[in-house]
Every structure is written in structure tokens, then in C-alpha cells.
PDB file of all heavy atoms in Angstrom:
ATOM      1  N   LEU A   1     -47.933  56.285  20.161  1.00 97.00           N
ATOM      2  CA  LEU A   1     -46.508  56.565  20.243  1.00 97.00           C
ATOM      3  C   LEU A   1     -45.656  55.301  20.317  1.00 97.00           C
ATOM      4  O   LEU A   1     -44.667  55.157  19.592  1.00 97.00           O
ATOM      5  CB  LEU A   1     -46.221  57.443  21.463  1.00 97.00           C
ATOM      6  CG  LEU A   1     -44.745  57.742  21.745  1.00 97.00           C
ATOM      7  CD1 LEU A   1     -44.153  58.592  20.627  1.00 97.00           C
ATOM      8  CD2 LEU A   1     -44.582  58.438  23.090  1.00 97.00           C
ATOM      9  N   SER A   2     -46.011  54.366  21.172  1.00 97.00           N
ATOM     10  CA  SER A   2     -45.149  53.201  21.411  1.00 97.00           C
ATOM     11  C   SER A   2     -45.554  51.963  20.618  1.00 97.00           C
ATOM     12  O   SER A   2     -44.892  50.931  20.708  1.00 97.00           O
ATOM     13  CB  SER A   2     -45.147  52.862  22.913  1.00 97.00           C
ATOM     14  OG  SER A   2     -46.447  52.458  23.318  1.00 97.00           O
ATOM     15  N   HIS A   3     -46.641  52.042  19.847  1.00 98.00           N
ATOM     16  CA  HIS A   3     -47.133  50.854  19.135  1.00 98.00           C
ATOM     17  C   HIS A   3     -46.197  50.550  17.968  1.00 98.00           C
ATOM     18  O   HIS A   3     -46.126  51.301  16.991  1.00 98.00           O
ATOM     19  CB  HIS A   3     -48.553  51.108  18.649  1.00 98.00           C
ATOM     20  CG  HIS A   3     -49.292  49.860  18.275  1.00 98.00           C
ATOM     21  ND1 HIS A   3     -49.067  48.644  18.871  1.00 98.00           N
ATOM     22  CD2 HIS A   3     -50.269  49.651  17.351  1.00 98.00           C
ATOM     23  CE1 HIS A   3     -49.862  47.733  18.350  1.00 98.00           C
ATOM     24  NE2 HIS A   3     -50.595  48.324  17.425  1.00 98.00           N
ATOM     25  N   MET A   4     -45.466  49.427  18.075  1.00 98.00           N
ATOM     26  CA  MET A   4     -44.460  49.111  17.069  1.00 98.00           C
ATOM     27  C   MET A   4     -44.097  47.637  17.143  1.00 98.00           C
ATOM     28  O   MET A   4     -44.554  46.914  18.031  1.00 98.00           O
ATOM     29  CB  MET A   4     -43.200  49.960  17.285  1.00 98.00           C
ATOM     30  CG  MET A   4     -42.648  49.962  18.723  1.00 98.00           C
ATOM     31  SD  MET A   4     -41.734  48.499  19.243  1.00 98.00           S
ATOM     32  CE  MET A   4     -40.225  48.737  18.302  1.00 98.00           C
ATOM     33  N   CYS A   5     -43.305  47.209  16.163  1.00 98.00           N
ATOM     34  CA  CYS A   5     -42.758  45.862  16.193  1.00 98.00           C
ATOM     35  C   CYS A   5     -41.260  45.933  15.898  1.00 98.00           C
ATOM     36  O   CYS A   5     -40.774  46.888  15.285  1.00 98.00           O
ATOM     37  CB  CYS A   5     -43.461  44.951  15.184  1.00 98.00           C
ATOM     38  SG  CYS A   5     -43.240  45.432  13.456  1.00 98.00           S
ATOM     39  N   ASP A   6     -40.552  44.926  16.363  1.00 98.00           N
ATOM     40  CA  ASP A   6     -39.116  44.830  16.116  1.00 98.00           C
ATOM     41  C   ASP A   6     -38.742  43.364  15.945  1.00 98.00           C
ATOM     42  O   ASP A   6     -39.155  42.532  16.761  1.00 98.00           O
ATOM     43  CB  ASP A   6     -38.322  45.439  17.273  1.00 98.00           C
ATOM     44  CG  ASP A   6     -36.842  45.555  16.938  1.00 98.00           C
ATOM     45  OD1 ASP A   6     -36.495  46.531  16.243  1.00 98.00           O
ATOM     46  OD2 ASP A   6     -36.078  44.658  17.317  1.00 98.00           O
ATOM     47  N   PRO A   7     -38.002  42.998  14.893  1.00 98.00           N
ATOM     48  CA  PRO A   7     -37.394  43.884  13.902  1.00 98.00           C
ATOM     49  C   PRO A   7     -38.440  44.719  13.151  1.00 98.00           C
ATOM     50  O   PRO A   7     -39.590  44.306  13.016  1.00 98.00           O
ATOM     51  CB  PRO A   7     -36.680  42.908  12.946  1.00 98.00           C
ATOM     52  CG  PRO A   7     -36.538  41.636  13.703  1.00 98.00           C
ATOM     53  CD  PRO A   7     -37.698  41.574  14.622  1.00 98.00           C
ATOM     54  N   PRO A   8     -37.990  45.879  12.643  1.00 97.00           N
ATOM     55  CA  PRO A   8     -38.906  46.721  11.868  1.00 97.00           C
ATOM     56  C   PRO A   8     -39.456  45.975  10.665  1.00 97.00           C
ATOM     57  O   PRO A   8     -38.828  45.058  10.141  1.00 97.00           O
ATOM     58  CB  PRO A   8     -38.023  47.893  11.437  1.00 97.00           C
ATOM     59  CG  PRO A   8     -36.907  47.920  12.412  1.00 97.00           C
ATOM     60  CD  PRO A   8     -36.658  46.487  12.784  1.00 97.00           C
ATOM     61  N   CYS A   9     -40.645  46.406  10.249  1.00 98.00           N
ATOM     62  CA  CYS A   9     -41.321  45.750   9.125  1.00 98.00           C
ATOM     63  C   CYS A   9     -41.854  46.822   8.175  1.00 98.00           C
ATOM     64  O   CYS A   9     -42.694  47.635   8.571  1.00 98.00           O
ATOM     65  CB  CYS A   9     -42.465  44.890   9.652  1.00 98.00           C
ATOM     66  SG  CYS A   9     -43.447  44.085   8.385  1.00 98.00           S
ATOM     67  N   PRO A  10     -41.390  46.837   6.924  1.00 98.00           N
ATOM     68  CA  PRO A  10     -41.886  47.834   5.967  1.00 98.00           C
ATOM     69  C   PRO A  10     -43.404  47.793   5.803  1.00 98.00           C
ATOM     70  O   PRO A  10     -44.030  48.848   5.611  1.00 98.00           O
ATOM     71  CB  PRO A  10     -41.176  47.460   4.664  1.00 98.00           C
ATOM     72  CG  PRO A  10     -39.922  46.770   5.099  1.00 98.00           C
ATOM     73  CD  PRO A  10     -40.301  46.009   6.341  1.00 98.00           C
ATOM     74  N   ALA A  11     -43.997  46.605   5.904  1.00 98.00           N
ATOM     75  CA  ALA A  11     -45.454  46.507   5.770  1.00 98.00           C
ATOM     76  C   ALA A  11     -46.154  47.227   6.919  1.00 98.00           C
ATOM     77  O   ALA A  11     -47.169  47.904   6.720  1.00 98.00           O
ATOM     78  CB  ALA A  11     -45.875  45.041   5.725  1.00 98.00           C
ATOM     79  N   TRP A  12     -45.622  47.085   8.131  1.00 98.00           N
ATOM     80  CA  TRP A  12     -46.195  47.798   9.278  1.00 98.00           C
ATOM     81  C   TRP A  12     -46.125  49.306   9.026  1.00 98.00           C
ATOM     82  O   TRP A  12     -47.118  50.013   9.208  1.00 98.00           O
ATOM     83  CB  TRP A  12     -45.420  47.436  10.540  1.00 98.00           C
ATOM     84  CG  TRP A  12     -45.907  48.134  11.792  1.00 98.00           C
ATOM     85  CD1 TRP A  12     -45.877  49.470  12.052  1.00 98.00           C
ATOM     86  CD2 TRP A  12     -46.496  47.525  12.945  1.00 98.00           C
ATOM     87  NE1 TRP A  12     -46.393  49.747  13.296  1.00 98.00           N
ATOM     88  CE2 TRP A  12     -46.781  48.568  13.867  1.00 98.00           C
ATOM     89  CE3 TRP A  12     -46.782  46.206  13.308  1.00 98.00           C
ATOM     90  CZ2 TRP A  12     -47.361  48.309  15.115  1.00 98.00           C
ATOM     91  CZ3 TRP A  12     -47.359  45.970  14.554  1.00 98.00           C
ATOM     92  CH2 TRP A  12     -47.643  47.003  15.434  1.00 98.00           C
ATOM     93  N   ASP A  13     -44.957  49.783   8.605  1.00 98.00           N
ATOM     94  CA  ASP A  13     -44.774  51.228   8.398  1.00 98.00           C
ATOM     95  C   ASP A  13     -45.725  51.767   7.346  1.00 98.00           C
ATOM     96  O   ASP A  13     -46.335  52.832   7.525  1.00 98.00           O
ATOM     97  CB  ASP A  13     -43.327  51.518   8.000  1.00 98.00           C
ATOM     98  CG  ASP A  13     -42.338  51.187   9.110  1.00 98.00           C
ATOM     99  OD1 ASP A  13     -42.766  51.080  10.279  1.00 98.00           O
ATOM    100  OD2 ASP A  13     -41.151  51.017   8.797  1.00 98.00           O
ATOM    101  N   ARG A  14     -45.857  51.048   6.248  1.00 98.00           N
ATOM    102  CA  ARG A  14     -46.742  51.507   5.171  1.00 98.00           C
ATOM    103  C   ARG A  14     -48.209  51.454   5.611  1.00 98.00           C
ATOM    104  O   ARG A  14     -48.980  52.381   5.335  1.00 98.00           O
ATOM    105  CB  ARG A  14     -46.526  50.648   3.918  1.00 98.00           C
ATOM    106  CG  ARG A  14     -47.497  50.915   2.783  1.00 98.00           C
ATOM    107  CD  ARG A  14     -47.427  52.341   2.279  1.00 98.00           C
ATOM    108  NE  ARG A  14     -48.386  52.551   1.189  1.00 98.00           N
ATOM    109  CZ  ARG A  14     -49.108  53.655   1.038  1.00 98.00           C
ATOM    110  NH1 ARG A  14     -48.994  54.666   1.900  1.00 98.00           N
ATOM    111  NH2 ARG A  14     -49.961  53.757   0.036  1.00 98.00           N
ATOM    112  N   LEU A  15     -48.598  50.407   6.309  1.00 98.00           N
ATOM    113  CA  LEU A  15     -49.973  50.307   6.794  1.00 98.00           C
ATOM    114  C   LEU A  15     -50.280  51.426   7.788  1.00 98.00           C
ATOM    115  O   LEU A  15     -51.391  51.961   7.813  1.00 98.00           O
ATOM    116  CB  LEU A  15     -50.219  48.946   7.437  1.00 98.00           C
ATOM    117  CG  LEU A  15     -50.370  47.778   6.459  1.00 98.00           C
ATOM    118  CD1 LEU A  15     -50.344  46.446   7.191  1.00 98.00           C
ATOM    119  CD2 LEU A  15     -51.656  47.917   5.642  1.00 98.00           C
ATOM    120  N   PHE A  16     -49.274  51.786   8.599  1.00 98.00           N
ATOM    121  CA  PHE A  16     -49.521  52.871   9.547  1.00 98.00           C
ATOM    122  C   PHE A  16     -49.666  54.206   8.821  1.00 98.00           C
ATOM    123  O   PHE A  16     -50.466  55.055   9.227  1.00 98.00           O
ATOM    124  CB  PHE A  16     -48.411  52.938  10.592  1.00 98.00           C
ATOM    125  CG  PHE A  16     -48.741  53.859  11.734  1.00 98.00           C
ATOM    126  CD1 PHE A  16     -49.851  53.615  12.529  1.00 98.00           C
ATOM    127  CD2 PHE A  16     -47.968  54.979  11.995  1.00 98.00           C
ATOM    128  CE1 PHE A  16     -50.179  54.478  13.576  1.00 98.00           C
ATOM    129  CE2 PHE A  16     -48.286  55.837  13.041  1.00 98.00           C
ATOM    130  CZ  PHE A  16     -49.392  55.584  13.829  1.00 98.00           C
ATOM    131  N   GLU A  17     -48.922  54.407   7.742  1.00 98.00           N
ATOM    132  CA  GLU A  17     -49.105  55.610   6.925  1.00 98.00           C
ATOM    133  C   GLU A  17     -50.539  55.698   6.416  1.00 98.00           C
ATOM    134  O   GLU A  17     -51.175  56.757   6.450  1.00 98.00           O
ATOM    135  CB  GLU A  17     -48.150  55.590   5.732  1.00 98.00           C
ATOM    136  CG  GLU A  17     -46.701  55.853   6.063  1.00 98.00           C
ATOM    137  CD  GLU A  17     -45.828  55.777   4.814  1.00 98.00           C
ATOM    138  OE1 GLU A  17     -46.380  55.564   3.718  1.00 98.00           O
ATOM    139  OE2 GLU A  17     -44.595  55.924   4.942  1.00 98.00           O
ATOM    140  N   ILE A  18     -51.037  54.572   5.927  1.00 98.00           N
ATOM    141  CA  ILE A  18     -52.414  54.523   5.414  1.00 98.00           C
ATOM    142  C   ILE A  18     -53.411  54.793   6.531  1.00 98.00           C
ATOM    143  O   ILE A  18     -54.367  55.560   6.375  1.00 98.00           O
ATOM    144  CB  ILE A  18     -52.678  53.146   4.762  1.00 98.00           C
ATOM    145  CG1 ILE A  18     -51.790  52.968   3.534  1.00 98.00           C
ATOM    146  CG2 ILE A  18     -54.150  52.994   4.396  1.00 98.00           C
ATOM    147  CD1 ILE A  18     -51.708  51.537   3.038  1.00 98.00           C
ATOM    148  N   PHE A  19     -53.173  54.153   7.676  1.00 98.00           N
ATOM    149  CA  PHE A  19     -54.085  54.288   8.811  1.00 98.00           C
ATOM    150  C   PHE A  19     -54.110  55.727   9.320  1.00 98.00           C
ATOM    151  O   PHE A  19     -55.175  56.263   9.653  1.00 98.00           O
ATOM    152  CB  PHE A  19     -53.649  53.329   9.915  1.00 98.00           C
ATOM    153  CG  PHE A  19     -54.663  53.146  11.014  1.00 98.00           C
ATOM    154  CD1 PHE A  19     -55.978  52.841  10.724  1.00 98.00           C
ATOM    155  CD2 PHE A  19     -54.288  53.266  12.342  1.00 98.00           C
ATOM    156  CE1 PHE A  19     -56.913  52.660  11.735  1.00 98.00           C
ATOM    157  CE2 PHE A  19     -55.209  53.092  13.363  1.00 98.00           C
ATOM    158  CZ  PHE A  19     -56.528  52.780  13.058  1.00 98.00           C
ATOM    159  N   GLN A  20     -52.939  56.365   9.365  1.00 98.00           N
ATOM    160  CA  GLN A  20     -52.876  57.763   9.790  1.00 98.00           C
ATOM    161  C   GLN A  20     -53.619  58.678   8.822  1.00 98.00           C
ATOM    162  O   GLN A  20     -54.354  59.571   9.238  1.00 98.00           O
ATOM    163  CB  GLN A  20     -51.420  58.220   9.897  1.00 98.00           C
ATOM    164  CG  GLN A  20     -50.722  57.832  11.172  1.00 98.00           C
ATOM    165  CD  GLN A  20     -49.360  58.493  11.279  1.00 98.00           C
ATOM    166  OE1 GLN A  20     -48.448  58.174  10.535  1.00 98.00           O
ATOM    167  NE2 GLN A  20     -49.226  59.421  12.206  1.00 98.00           N
ATOM    168  N   ALA A  21     -53.423  58.459   7.520  1.00 98.00           N
ATOM    169  CA  ALA A  21     -54.101  59.285   6.525  1.00 98.00           C
ATOM    170  C   ALA A  21     -55.617  59.126   6.631  1.00 98.00           C
ATOM    171  O   ALA A  21     -56.367  60.114   6.585  1.00 98.00           O
ATOM    172  CB  ALA A  21     -53.622  58.913   5.126  1.00 98.00           C
ATOM    173  N   TYR A  22     -56.053  57.896   6.787  1.00 98.00           N
ATOM    174  CA  TYR A  22     -57.489  57.610   6.944  1.00 98.00           C
ATOM    175  C   TYR A  22     -58.025  58.298   8.198  1.00 98.00           C
ATOM    176  O   TYR A  22     -59.076  58.954   8.162  1.00 98.00           O
ATOM    177  CB  TYR A  22     -57.695  56.100   7.016  1.00 98.00           C
ATOM    178  CG  TYR A  22     -59.099  55.687   7.382  1.00 98.00           C
ATOM    179  CD1 TYR A  22     -60.065  55.500   6.399  1.00 98.00           C
ATOM    180  CD2 TYR A  22     -59.465  55.479   8.712  1.00 98.00           C
ATOM    181  CE1 TYR A  22     -61.356  55.123   6.730  1.00 98.00           C
ATOM    182  CE2 TYR A  22     -60.748  55.103   9.049  1.00 98.00           C
ATOM    183  CZ  TYR A  22     -61.693  54.932   8.060  1.00 98.00           C
ATOM    184  OH  TYR A  22     -62.969  54.563   8.399  1.00 98.00           O
ATOM    185  N   SER A  23     -57.313  58.164   9.309  1.00 98.00           N
ATOM    186  CA  SER A  23     -57.770  58.728  10.586  1.00 98.00           C
ATOM    187  C   SER A  23     -57.837  60.246  10.527  1.00 98.00           C
ATOM    188  O   SER A  23     -58.814  60.858  10.988  1.00 98.00           O
ATOM    189  CB  SER A  23     -56.841  58.273  11.720  1.00 98.00           C
ATOM    190  OG  SER A  23     -56.849  56.868  11.846  1.00 98.00           O
ATOM    191  N   ARG A  24     -56.806  60.871   9.944  1.00 97.00           N
ATOM    192  CA  ARG A  24     -56.813  62.340   9.821  1.00 97.00           C
ATOM    193  C   ARG A  24     -58.014  62.801   9.005  1.00 97.00           C
ATOM    194  O   ARG A  24     -58.656  63.798   9.348  1.00 97.00           O
ATOM    195  CB  ARG A  24     -55.515  62.820   9.167  1.00 97.00           C
ATOM    196  CG  ARG A  24     -54.322  62.889  10.114  1.00 97.00           C
ATOM    197  CD  ARG A  24     -53.191  63.694   9.502  1.00 97.00           C
ATOM    198  NE  ARG A  24     -52.689  63.072   8.278  1.00 97.00           N
ATOM    199  CZ  ARG A  24     -51.670  62.225   8.229  1.00 97.00           C
ATOM    200  NH1 ARG A  24     -51.026  61.899   9.343  1.00 97.00           N
ATOM    201  NH2 ARG A  24     -51.272  61.713   7.084  1.00 97.00           N
ATOM    202  N   ALA A  25     -58.306  62.082   7.939  1.00 98.00           N
ATOM    203  CA  ALA A  25     -59.441  62.467   7.085  1.00 98.00           C
ATOM    204  C   ALA A  25     -60.770  62.359   7.827  1.00 98.00           C
ATOM    205  O   ALA A  25     -61.719  63.086   7.518  1.00 98.00           O
ATOM    206  CB  ALA A  25     -59.473  61.581   5.834  1.00 98.00           C
ATOM    207  N   LYS A  26     -60.825  61.469   8.813  1.00 97.00           N
ATOM    208  CA  LYS A  26     -62.049  61.281   9.597  1.00 97.00           C
ATOM    209  C   LYS A  26     -62.062  62.142  10.854  1.00 97.00           C
ATOM    210  O   LYS A  26     -63.001  62.070  11.656  1.00 97.00           O
ATOM    211  CB  LYS A  26     -62.201  59.811   9.994  1.00 97.00           C
ATOM    212  CG  LYS A  26     -62.227  58.844   8.819  1.00 97.00           C
ATOM    213  CD  LYS A  26     -63.374  59.121   7.871  1.00 97.00           C
ATOM    214  CE  LYS A  26     -63.384  58.148   6.696  1.00 97.00           C
ATOM    215  NZ  LYS A  26     -64.462  58.447   5.721  1.00 97.00           N
ATOM    216  N   GLY A  27     -61.011  62.956  11.050  1.00 97.00           N
ATOM    217  CA  GLY A  27     -60.948  63.825  12.217  1.00 97.00           C
ATOM    218  C   GLY A  27     -60.546  63.126  13.493  1.00 97.00           C
ATOM    219  O   GLY A  27     -60.803  63.625  14.596  1.00 97.00           O
ATOM    220  N   VAL A  28     -59.888  61.966  13.370  1.00 98.00           N
ATOM    221  CA  VAL A  28     -59.491  61.169  14.539  1.00 98.00           C
ATOM    222  C   VAL A  28     -58.015  61.392  14.837  1.00 98.00           C
ATOM    223  O   VAL A  28     -57.169  61.315  13.941  1.00 98.00           O
ATOM    224  CB  VAL A  28     -59.768  59.669  14.283  1.00 98.00           C
ATOM    225  CG1 VAL A  28     -59.173  58.806  15.381  1.00 98.00           C
ATOM    226  CG2 VAL A  28     -61.273  59.424  14.154  1.00 98.00           C
TER     227      VAL A  28
END
């Protein structure tokens, strides 16, 4: 929930999208 950086970074946001998709696929 709180894991973030500021100023915002588009690379962080996109990497987190990838990480979430990967984790969901693995049941995590």
C-alpha cells in the first residue's frame, strides 16, 4: 500500500503494473 516514491516516476508505475500482473499469475 505505502511503497512509493516522490516525485512520482512513470517507470516505477509501469514496473509495478508488471510486478502486479506477474504476482497475480503466480497466485501471490
